[in-house]
Amino acid sequence: IFFSNIFDSLSKIKKIDYPVLFLHSKDDEIVPFSQAKKLFDAVPGHKNIVQLKGEHNEAFLASQQEFASSIEEFIKDLK
């Protein structure tokens, strides 16, 4: 076994009671977008999901403008 811990993000994320921003790429070859969407759907409160472009380690660069503006808009909406 490579990992001995189980990361049960789905059960934990259901307990979050603050705004959440998901930034995830459809092109992610390691973590499928469907997993991010599943977590997003489980968040009970204020949330937003932004679909980026680019592979796992480059999405923030490939979608740099959308990445930055999404964070900025999310923070503005919190005020």
Side-chain angles (χ1 to χ4, degrees):
I1 288 179
F2 186 70
F3 288 107
S4 61
N5 292 339
I6 295 182
F7 301 100
D8 188 7
S9 301
L10 191 57
S11 70
K12 290 182 172 93
I13 206 162
K14 292 175 183 179
K15 299 173 186 173
I16 290 178
D17 64 350
Y18 46 83
V20 179
L21 174 63
F22 287 81
L23 299 162
H24 201 93
S25 175
K26 277 280 199 181
D27 305 322
D28 193 322
E29 74 284 7
I30 296 174
V31 180
F33 187 84
S34 60
Q35 287 185 3
K37 180 74 168 89
K38 191 174 188 177
L39 288 174
F40 173 79
D41 290 341
V43 173
H46 178 77
K47 59 190 173 184
N48 192 15
I49 189 167
V50 177
Q51 189 176 86
L52 303 174
K53 295 178 184 169
E55 294 181 353
H56 184 77
N57 289 320
E58 68 173 26
F60 71 98
L61 291 172
S63 300
Q64 190 172 15
Q65 181 61 40
E66 188 171 14
F67 185 86
S69 64
S70 297
I71 294 170
E72 185 177 340
E73 285 301 313
F74 185 77
I75 291 170
K76 282 181 185 178
D77 286 346
L78 296 177
K79 295 180 181 181

